[in-house]
PDB file of all heavy atoms in Angstrom:
ATOM      1  N   ASP A   9       4.759   4.061  -1.527  1.00 98.00           N
ATOM      2  CA  ASP A   9       6.301   4.230  -1.314  1.00 98.00           C
ATOM      3  C   ASP A   9       6.713   5.668  -1.899  1.00 98.00           C
ATOM      4  O   ASP A   9       7.475   5.779  -2.816  1.00 98.00           O
ATOM      5  CB  ASP A   9       7.070   3.066  -2.025  1.00 98.00           C
ATOM      6  CG  ASP A   9       6.818   1.796  -1.348  1.00 98.00           C
ATOM      7  OD1 ASP A   9       5.775   1.136  -1.739  1.00 98.00           O
ATOM      8  OD2 ASP A   9       7.617   1.415  -0.450  1.00 98.00           O
ATOM      9  N   HIS A  11       8.172   7.786   0.194  1.00 98.00           N
ATOM     10  CA  HIS A  11       9.490   8.143   0.887  1.00 98.00           C
ATOM     11  C   HIS A  11       9.865   9.528   0.980  1.00 98.00           C
ATOM     12  O   HIS A  11      11.005   9.944   0.572  1.00 98.00           O
ATOM     13  CB  HIS A  11      10.694   7.266   0.039  1.00 98.00           C
ATOM     14  CG  HIS A  11      10.579   5.736   0.274  1.00 98.00           C
ATOM     15  ND1 HIS A  11      11.427   5.283   1.297  1.00 98.00           N
ATOM     16  CD2 HIS A  11       9.800   4.782  -0.342  1.00 98.00           C
ATOM     17  CE1 HIS A  11      11.076   3.814   1.208  1.00 98.00           C
ATOM     18  NE2 HIS A  11      10.184   3.666   0.199  1.00 98.00           N
ATOM     19  N   GLY A  43       1.999   2.807   2.299  1.00 98.00           N
ATOM     20  CA  GLY A  43       3.124   2.707   3.221  1.00 98.00           C
ATOM     21  C   GLY A  43       4.508   3.282   2.479  1.00 98.00           C
ATOM     22  O   GLY A  43       4.607   3.587   1.401  1.00 98.00           O
ATOM     23  N   ASP A  44       5.482   3.300   3.410  1.00 98.00           N
ATOM     24  CA  ASP A  44       6.719   4.068   3.197  1.00 98.00           C
ATOM     25  C   ASP A  44       6.517   5.504   2.875  1.00 98.00           C
ATOM     26  O   ASP A  44       6.776   5.991   1.782  1.00 98.00           O
ATOM     27  CB  ASP A  44       7.723   3.351   2.166  1.00 98.00           C
ATOM     28  CG  ASP A  44       8.277   2.067   2.773  1.00 98.00           C
ATOM     29  OD1 ASP A  44       8.162   1.805   4.016  1.00 98.00           O
ATOM     30  OD2 ASP A  44       8.995   1.290   1.999  1.00 98.00           O
ATOM     31  N   ASN A  73       7.572  -0.233   6.370  1.00 98.00           N
ATOM     32  CA  ASN A  73       8.679  -0.364   7.208  1.00 98.00           C
ATOM     33  C   ASN A  73       9.440   0.839   7.491  1.00 98.00           C
ATOM     34  O   ASN A  73      10.202   0.928   8.396  1.00 98.00           O
ATOM     35  CB  ASN A  73       9.632  -1.461   6.618  1.00 98.00           C
ATOM     36  CG  ASN A  73       9.957  -1.266   5.180  1.00 98.00           C
ATOM     37  OD1 ASN A  73       9.175  -1.089   4.349  1.00 98.00           O
ATOM     38  ND2 ASN A  73      11.189  -1.196   4.995  1.00 98.00           N
ATOM     39  N   HIS A  74       9.475   1.722   6.588  1.00 98.00           N
ATOM     40  CA  HIS A  74      10.189   3.086   6.742  1.00 98.00           C
ATOM     41  C   HIS A  74       9.473   4.044   7.788  1.00 98.00           C
ATOM     42  O   HIS A  74       9.990   4.981   8.164  1.00 98.00           O
ATOM     43  CB  HIS A  74      10.377   3.730   5.460  1.00 98.00           C
ATOM     44  CG  HIS A  74      11.487   3.206   4.666  1.00 98.00           C
ATOM     45  ND1 HIS A  74      12.812   3.903   4.576  1.00 98.00           N
ATOM     46  CD2 HIS A  74      11.695   2.075   4.007  1.00 98.00           C
ATOM     47  CE1 HIS A  74      13.548   3.114   3.932  1.00 98.00           C
ATOM     48  NE2 HIS A  74      12.893   1.976   3.424  1.00 98.00           N
ATOM     49  N   HIS A 149       1.311  -3.067   3.271  1.00 98.00           N
ATOM     50  CA  HIS A 149       2.520  -2.623   2.621  1.00 98.00           C
ATOM     51  C   HIS A 149       3.244  -3.716   2.186  1.00 98.00           C
ATOM     52  O   HIS A 149       3.765  -3.837   1.048  1.00 98.00           O
ATOM     53  CB  HIS A 149       3.401  -1.802   3.744  1.00 98.00           C
ATOM     54  CG  HIS A 149       4.681  -1.268   3.130  1.00 98.00           C
ATOM     55  ND1 HIS A 149       4.742  -0.428   2.204  1.00 98.00           N
ATOM     56  CD2 HIS A 149       5.941  -1.676   3.381  1.00 98.00           C
ATOM     57  CE1 HIS A 149       5.944  -0.141   1.920  1.00 98.00           C
ATOM     58  NE2 HIS A 149       6.790  -0.965   2.602  1.00 98.00           N
ATOM     59  N   HIS A 188       5.666  -1.677  -1.262  1.00 98.00           N
ATOM     60  CA  HIS A 188       6.947  -2.143  -0.715  1.00 98.00           C
ATOM     61  C   HIS A 188       7.972  -2.667  -1.756  1.00 98.00           C
ATOM     62  O   HIS A 188       9.249  -2.454  -1.556  1.00 98.00           O
ATOM     63  CB  HIS A 188       6.718  -3.234   0.250  1.00 98.00           C
ATOM     64  CG  HIS A 188       7.890  -3.827   1.146  1.00 98.00           C
ATOM     65  ND1 HIS A 188       8.780  -2.940   1.789  1.00 98.00           N
ATOM     66  CD2 HIS A 188       8.347  -5.125   1.420  1.00 98.00           C
ATOM     67  CE1 HIS A 188       9.637  -3.630   2.388  1.00 98.00           C
ATOM     68  NE2 HIS A 188       9.368  -4.982   2.185  1.00 98.00           N
ATOM     69  N   HIS A 190       8.284  -1.779  -4.963  1.00 98.00           N
ATOM     70  CA  HIS A 190       8.805  -0.683  -5.818  1.00 98.00           C
ATOM     71  C   HIS A 190       8.761  -1.159  -7.297  1.00 98.00           C
ATOM     72  O   HIS A 190       9.645  -1.008  -8.078  1.00 98.00           O
ATOM     73  CB  HIS A 190      10.072  -0.090  -5.478  1.00 98.00           C
ATOM     74  CG  HIS A 190      10.151   0.755  -4.310  1.00 98.00           C
ATOM     75  ND1 HIS A 190      10.674   1.976  -4.209  1.00 98.00           N
ATOM     76  CD2 HIS A 190       9.738   0.430  -3.004  1.00 98.00           C
ATOM     77  CE1 HIS A 190      10.599   2.481  -2.945  1.00 98.00           C
ATOM     78  NE2 HIS A 190       9.960   1.532  -2.277  1.00 98.00           N
TER      79      HIS A 190
HETATM   80 FE1  LIG B   1       9.601   1.615  -0.030  1.00 68.97          FE
END
Side-chain angles (χ1 to χ4, degrees):
D9 294 83
H11 288 267
D44 284 356
N73 53 304
H74 282 253
H149 182 65
H188 187 49
H190 292 231

